[in-house]
């Protein structure tokens, strides 16, 4: 079994989880379930980023001690993972002692390798972004005040600070990315990172002295680590760092990081430089996804349009939302979360296409064939075309999924389902019932087979519904695997009473 290590960003605990957080976690879950079906040995990590000024400020505003606050808030992120039906292997918190130990060890390694020096930082800092900015990156507002490119406010900081010799890594990073052009996806993000590196890298401030809520810098009590060096290290902590000999570490590192486009620079520039400077391999792949807006507007607390994953899932259903998020928008692009788009998507694909095929085929078998269908292999041309197409679609689906093009992979499945619906229309089993029951049986068995194959492909995206479909077909859930894809798993299938899996949603529901 090949190892496959995938991570979500660790989420800041200054607020509750919202749809943006759910999006990355579900993306990783889809890819990790897909890899399990490929028989890969998957390790899927998520967790919370609990240090830094932003979190400290939020705790003060809520009148909590920092520790009590992060204990309380991180639970919200832990609890939402199973609610989203995401199967993680570890949930890491940066306030855990294993993580403090790992990040201090990473620091010491950088120090031993002569990558760190003490000096003074003077410049702009954004607490909301937890990022340092040079003046030419900032935007000047009408009132002559500067803001970060993200729109976050910035403050002038002047303090003693340790620096990481990032400038030494400019050429090494460029060489690395030239040799591994697929390590940043999509391509447009790769180009963005390359031009950022080419514009010149300055040494990076990696410690702070004006607050205390962080991992202490080894051998200097005055300093806590810059939150990003501590945060990025989580990907190593979970698999056993600093014990580089630990079997999990040897097996899983380097991993694959899924991140939002806003935190690409941290992952694709700073992180590989830290790693190489600590004699470790850079990440295998960094995939940067886009951002969701709500009915065309940026999602923000001040606008008051934050989408609560619990509300939206309660309203439309979990698999419906998992499906919408990854079918509607090419993974990597920005997307708009609109009520109308969700309803359109659920109705047109899940209800009218997939749901309709299951309902019409299974109800027909129930009413007209004593709930049973026998596999028979007397195929006519039309049957062979559809079955062969399902093989082709499977190959396309796999290659898209391997490239994280989830929307394209889903499209392949739904093209197959549309053609299966047309096949039913053309074959008219209701007429065959009167004229040729043997042929009717072949047609029905082909339909059941296409439903079964489509369900296997859909499983990573809509796992609960896939299990329901398998239960209607009276098939073993364990048979949802790729090895079975082209095999008719049973000679005789007894259909259970079908029930609507994806009820249509009316626009004013
Ligand atoms: N703590 C850092 C990550 C450290 S990883 C070593 C962080 N946390 S965050 O909670 O602010 O954001 C986590 C993720 O949520 C980011 O990948 C970000 O892109 C994503 N999203 C936040 N809002 C989003 C949308 N509106 N849409 C899509 N994703 C969004 O950054």
């Amino acid at each position: 079994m090949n190892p496959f290590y995938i991570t979500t960003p660790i989420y800041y605990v200054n607020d509750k989880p919202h749809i943006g957080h759910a999006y990355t976690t579900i993306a990783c879950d889809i890819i990790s379930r897909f890899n399990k079906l490929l028989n890969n040995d998957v390790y899927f990590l998520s967790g919370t980023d609990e240090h830094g000024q932003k979190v400290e400020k939020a705790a003060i505003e809520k009148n909590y001690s920092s520790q009590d606050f992060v204990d309380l808030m991180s639970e919200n992120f832990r609890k939402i993972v199973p609610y989203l039906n995401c199967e993680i292997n570890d949930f890491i918190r940066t306030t855990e002692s294993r993580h403090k130990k790992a990040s201090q060890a990473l620091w010491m390694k950088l120090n031993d390798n002569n990558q760190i020096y003490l000096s003074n930082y003077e410049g702009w800092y954004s607490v909301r972004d937890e990022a340092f900015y040079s003046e030419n990156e900032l935007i000047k507002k009408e009132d002559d005040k500067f803001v970060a490119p993200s729109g976050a406010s910035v403050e002038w900081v002047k303090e003693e600070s340790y620096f990481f010799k990032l400038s030494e890594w400019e050429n090494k990073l460029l060489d690395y990315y030239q040799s591994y052009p697929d390590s940043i996806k999509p391509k447009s993000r790769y180009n963005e990172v390359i031009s950022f590196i080419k514009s010149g890298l300055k040494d990076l401030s990696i410690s702070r002295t004006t607050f205390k809520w962080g991992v202490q810098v080894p051998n200097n009590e005055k300093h806590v680590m810059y939150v990003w060096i501590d945060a990025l290290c989580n990907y190593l902590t979970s698999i056993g760092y600093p014990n580089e000999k630990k079997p999990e570490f040897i097996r899983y590192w380097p991993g694959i990081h899924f991140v939002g486009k806003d935190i690409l620079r941290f992952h694709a520039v700073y992180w590989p430089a830290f790693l190489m400077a600590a004699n470790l391999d850079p990440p295998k792949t960094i995939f940067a996804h886009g951002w969701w807006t709500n009915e065309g507007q940026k999602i923000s607390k001040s606008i008051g349009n934050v989408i609560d994953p619990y509300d939206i899932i309660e309203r439309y259903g979990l698999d419906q939302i998992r499906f919408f998020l990854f079918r509607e928008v090419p993974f990597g692009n920005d997307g708009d979360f609109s009520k109308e788009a969700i309803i359109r998507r659920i109705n047109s694909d899940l209800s009218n296409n997939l749901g309709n095929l299951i309902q019409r085929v299974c109800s027909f078998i129930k009413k007209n064939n004593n709930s049973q269908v026998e596999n028979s292999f007397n195929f006519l041309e039309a049957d062979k075309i559809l079955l062969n197409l399902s093989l082709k679609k499977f190959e396309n689906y796999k290659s898209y999924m391997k490239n994280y093009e989830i929307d394209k992979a889903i499209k392949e499945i739904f093209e197959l389902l549309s053609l299966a619906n047309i096949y039913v229309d053309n074959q008219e089993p209701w007429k065959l019932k009167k004229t040729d029951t043997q042929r009717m049986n072949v047609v029905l068995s082909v339909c059941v087979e296409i439903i079964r194959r489509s369900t296997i492909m859909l499983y990573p995206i809509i796992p609960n519904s896939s299990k329901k479909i398998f239960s209607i077909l009276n098939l073993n859930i364990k048979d949802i695997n790729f090895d079975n894809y082209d095999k008719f798993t049973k000679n005789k299938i007894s259909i259970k009473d079908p029930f609507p899996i994806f009820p249509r949603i009316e626009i004013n529901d």
Side-chain angles (χ1 to χ4, degrees), residues 11 16-19 21-23 25-26 46 73-88 91 307-311 313 318 322:
Y11 303 111
K16 289 186 307 197
H18 61 65
I19 198 69
H21 304 125
Y23 183 53
T25 308
I26 296 171
S46 190
M73 298 299 281
S74 72
E75 269 314 289
N76 298 328
F77 286 88
R78 187 195 294 277
K79 278 200 304 228
I80 202 167
V81 178
Y83 181 74
L84 300 171
N85 197 10
C86 294
E87 289 179 340
I88 56 172
F91 186 90
I307 299 168
D308 179 340
Y310 289 98
D311 285 351
I313 288 169
L318 171 60
R322 285 178 66 116

Side-chain angles (χ1 to χ4, degrees), residues 10 49-52 94-95 99-100 103 106 213-215 225-235 237 274:
I10 47 170
D49 189 354
E50 305 186 3
H51 289 128
T94 53
T95 48
H99 179 69
K100 288 183 192 164
S103 34
L106 179 65
W213 187 238
V215 180
M225 290 181 199
Y226 170 41
V227 63
W228 270 100
I229 190 165
D230 138 29
L232 287 160
C233 182
N234 90 85
Y235 304 132
T237 310
F274 294 155

Side-chain angles (χ1 to χ4, degrees), residues 8-14 18-21 23-24 49 54 77 228 231-235 258-263 267 289-293 299:
T8 73
I10 47 170
Y11 303 111
Y12 285 129
V13 289
N14 59 310
H18 61 65
I19 198 69
H21 304 125
Y23 183 53
T24 330
D49 189 354
K54 172 152 90 173
F77 286 88
W228 270 100
L232 287 160
C233 182
N234 90 85
Y235 304 132
F258 276 16
V259 300
K261 61 181 182 180
D262 55 317
I263 56 172
H267 284 83
H289 65 70
W291 267 47
W292 285 91
T293 48
I299 297 178

Side-chain angles (χ1 to χ4, degrees), residues 155-400:
E155 58 194 49
W156 187 258
V157 175
K158 192 176 171 186
E159 58 188 325
E160 185 183 79
S161 175
Y162 285 96
F163 283 80
F164 169 71
K165 295 180 179 170
L166 184 63
S167 57
E168 287 188 357
W169 291 90
E170 204 175 300
N171 288 332
K172 287 173 207 148
L173 283 170
L174 288 174
D175 287 348
Y176 176 78
Y177 283 133
Q178 204 151 43
S179 311
Y180 298 96
D182 279 339
S183 56
I184 303 173
K185 287 177 180 222
K187 195 80 205 155
S188 55
R189 299 292 171 201
Y190 172 85
N191 295 334
E192 197 180 298
V193 169
I194 298 300
S195 65
F196 176 75
I197 300 173
K198 281 188 176 159
S199 73
L201 297 180
K202 285 206 246 44
D203 290 351
L204 180 72
S205 167
I206 51 164
S207 75
R208 307 288 314 272
T209 53
T210 42
F211 66 95
K212 282 267 159 271
W213 187 238
V215 180
Q216 202 206 299
V217 167
N219 309 323
N220 191 340
E221 267 179 28
K222 258 175 39 195
H223 290 250
V224 292
M225 290 181 199
Y226 170 41
V227 63
W228 270 100
I229 190 165
D230 138 29
L232 287 160
C233 182
N234 90 85
Y235 304 132
L236 301 179
T237 310
S238 175
I239 50 173
Y241 190 81
N243 182 358
E244 293 177 41
K245 300 242 158 57
K246 201 170 166 159
E248 285 81 1
F249 193 85
I250 294 169
R251 182 146 185 77
Y252 293 114
W253 191 255
I256 294 160
H257 305 313
F258 276 16
V259 300
K261 61 181 182 180
D262 55 317
I263 56 172
L264 177 61
R265 186 187 298 181
F266 301 96
H267 284 83
V269 181
Y270 305 160
W271 183 224
F274 294 155
L275 287 163
M276 292 198 264
N279 312 112
L280 293 166
D281 287 335
K284 198 180 276 166
T285 313
I286 298 155
F287 186 98
H289 65 70
W291 267 47
W292 285 91
T293 48
N294 184 359
E295 308 280 351
Q297 263 192 323
K298 186 175 178 209
I299 297 178
S300 102
K301 233 171 47 173
S302 52
I303 302 174
N305 63 351
V306 176
I307 299 168
D308 179 340
Y310 289 98
D311 285 351
I312 202 89
I313 288 169
E314 184 100 333
R315 174 126 46 107
Y316 299 107
L318 171 60
D319 278 355
Q320 283 80 345
I321 292 299
R322 285 178 66 116
F323 181 78
F324 168 78
L325 291 172
F326 292 92
R327 170 62 186 85
E328 188 68 7
V329 173
F331 191 44
N333 291 12
D334 291 338
D336 186 40
F337 211 92
S338 85
K339 191 175 155 184
E340 214 189 295
I342 299 175
I343 295 177
R344 200 181 342 104
R345 204 30 95 191
I346 294 174
N347 286 347
S348 69
D349 288 356
L350 295 179
S351 306
N352 295 356
N353 196 349
L354 171 62
N356 181 44
L357 183 69
I358 299 169
Q359 195 66 31
R360 69 198 293 214
V361 168
C362 294
S363 308
F364 186 88
I365 297 173
K366 179 178 180 244
K367 277 198 209 115
N368 300 293
N369 222 28
N370 201 19
S371 293
Q372 291 194 341
V373 55
E374 249 172 75
N375 282 332
S376 128
F377 300 98
N378 282 327
F379 297 134
L380 297 186
E381 198 51 27
D383 315 334
K384 286 186 201 154
I385 290 175
L386 192 61
L387 289 167
N388 284 338
L389 184 81
S390 76
L391 301 181
K392 174 93 184 86
K393 291 293 180 198
F394 184 46
E395 291 312 311
N396 297 348
Y397 159 90
K398 281 192 290 188
S399 67
Y400 284 134

